[in-house]
Amino acid sequence: MKIFSPALIRRTCQRALAAALLISVMPASGQSPAVIARIDTLIKTDLGRPFNGVILIARNGRILYSRCYGFSDAAHKIPLQSDEQFVIGSVSKQVTGVLVLQEAAEKHLDLQAPIGRYLHNIPQRWKDTVTVQHLLNHVSGIIWPDRPLAFKPGSQFAYSNIGYSLLGEILEKVTGKPYNTLVADLFSKAGMRNSYAPGNKPIVLKSFLEDSTRQLIPTGADVTFMKMLAPAGGIISNARDLLLWNEALHNGRILPDSLYKIFTTSFSHRDHPTWGPVDYGDGIQIAHPGTLTELGHSGAANMPAAATTCINFYYPATQTSVIVLENVSWDTRDMARAFVFEKKIRNMMVEDMK
């Protein structure tokens, strides 16, 4: 197994920054050219780690900024491309939330029903008290399917990937279809041709995991693990497709207004280690930086099977998407460093939209 240092990426990136792998930069009305220059400068700045990914910013469907920095394969100095695929981590939860609401609208499941109605193999009695809604909002108290609850369902927030994996199982139970098929059908409606949930086919995806010594280790895309992870954080996509997702989701093309209102309703609250106080809907994070409403999710997949650091944020007031995808999971023991570029880019855009 080859191990690379962030310094290697930084040095090789700096040699390529003159070209910057520029795809397109088109300042538009209401978009300050200054913020574009600030992002360019930011990416060249040493913030304790290099940036290795894709940035896409769009407003009203028009791309304002699209650039790639760094490498798909650092060992062979293969640069990232604008259509590069990434595992999108917890951004996947938006997709699962939409699928659950669609099935609820069709009366195939009841959001207020205990999950034991659909999942009969859970040995714990709490299957008769934890509801589908609890899973959606991270208030179930579930630690693991064969262990007691950490707290009474609905009484507090505790982020739960297990809860979203269970939602994936419920979706398969009520539809009779594999999760990846449900996702494929949904993505087809949004015009997303470069995105999928892992099934049984081999996954060709290059990503890196930063270990405790801050060395980058190539991950191995384990199909079985990725398939299990998909509803919580294992969907694969690219920047352009996530833009299509935002446009479809937030403009009534995959959820009618009544369901979209439920989807974006604040059901629970958390103090996020990166984004501060935020609310949580049915698979989507709801924040209010300044006077803006921010809808979306961040993701940090830091497992041997896949790695990413990413954000996908949408601002309804200006119809702006801010998408940042990296194929490295930076050491999440230092969240400020792990999301340093993502947070600064988000803050720059928020300031520009005021």
Side-chain angles (χ1 to χ4, degrees), residues 57-69:
I57 299 169
R59 181 168 296 160
N60 293 317
R62 183 182 181 186
I63 294 174
L64 307 176
Y65 186 102
S66 177
R67 288 189 179 183
C68 313
Y69 292 95

Side-chain angles (χ1 to χ4, degrees), residues 90-97 138 159-161 164 231-232 280 283 297:
S90 287
V91 176
S92 305
K93 291 180 173 69
Q94 293 185 38
V95 179
T96 301
H138 298 284
Y159 197 79
S160 176
N161 287 317
Y164 270 75
Y280 209 88
H297 224 296

Side-chain angles (χ1 to χ4, degrees), residues 1-171:
M1 178 181 292
K2 294 182 179 180
I3 300 178
F4 312 102
S5 69
L8 171 62
I9 290 180
R10 183 182 294 110
R11 288 195 301 271
T12 48
C13 280
Q14 286 173 342
R15 287 195 293 267
L17 276 174
L21 296 175
L22 177 61
I23 306 303
S24 64
V25 179
M26 300 188 300
S29 177
Q31 174 73 28
S32 169
V35 75
I36 290 175
R38 288 176 64 200
I39 294 173
D40 285 340
T41 299
L42 172 70
I43 298 305
K44 303 173 188 178
T45 305
D46 186 349
L47 297 175
R49 69 167 182 85
F51 179 81
N52 199 80
V54 174
I55 304 169
L56 177 62
I57 299 169
R59 181 168 296 160
N60 293 317
R62 183 182 181 186
I63 294 174
L64 307 176
Y65 186 102
S66 177
R67 288 189 179 183
C68 313
Y69 292 95
F71 296 90
S72 172
D73 186 335
H76 298 95
K77 298 182 181 178
I78 299 174
L80 284 165
Q81 303 296 321
S82 62
D83 60 353
E84 196 87 24
Q85 289 180 317
F86 300 78
V87 59
I88 60 172
S90 287
V91 176
S92 305
K93 291 180 173 69
Q94 293 185 38
V95 179
T96 301
V98 166
L99 289 170
V100 168
L101 287 181
Q102 288 180 334
E103 294 305 318
E106 294 295 326
K107 308 298 183 183
H108 295 159
L109 62 80
D110 182 349
L111 297 180
Q112 304 309 319
I115 63 175
R117 179 183 296 182
Y118 311 107
L119 302 176
H120 307 300
N121 60 341
I122 294 177
Q124 295 289 324
R125 290 184 179 181
W126 50 251
K127 69 181 180 182
D128 297 320
T129 57
V130 173
T131 67
V132 176
Q133 189 72 64
H134 288 146
L135 297 183
L136 283 168
N137 306 139
H138 298 284
V139 294
S140 69
I142 295 174
I143 301 173
W144 201 254
D146 61 354
R147 295 178 62 182
L149 297 178
F151 51 82
K152 180 181 177 181
S155 65
Q156 58 183 283
F157 184 101
Y159 197 79
S160 176
N161 287 317
I162 292 296
Y164 270 75
S165 292
L166 292 175
L167 287 172
E169 291 184 31
I170 291 171
L171 285 166

Side-chain angles (χ1 to χ4, degrees), residues 244-281:
L244 292 174
W245 169 259
N246 286 351
E247 292 175 350
L249 174 62
H250 299 293
N251 289 286
R253 297 209 295 273
I254 56 178
L255 283 179
D257 289 346
S258 57
L259 287 183
Y260 181 78
K261 184 176 180 179
I262 295 171
F263 181 69
T264 56
T265 294
S266 300
F267 287 100
S268 54
H269 178 84
R270 73 179 296 198
D271 290 321
H272 196 285
T274 301
W275 313 112
V278 300
D279 294 329
Y280 209 88

Side-chain angles (χ1 to χ4, degrees), residues 293-310:
T293 295
E294 175 184 87
L295 304 171
H297 224 296
S298 55
N302 59 340
M303 291 156 287
T308 192
T309 303
C310 63

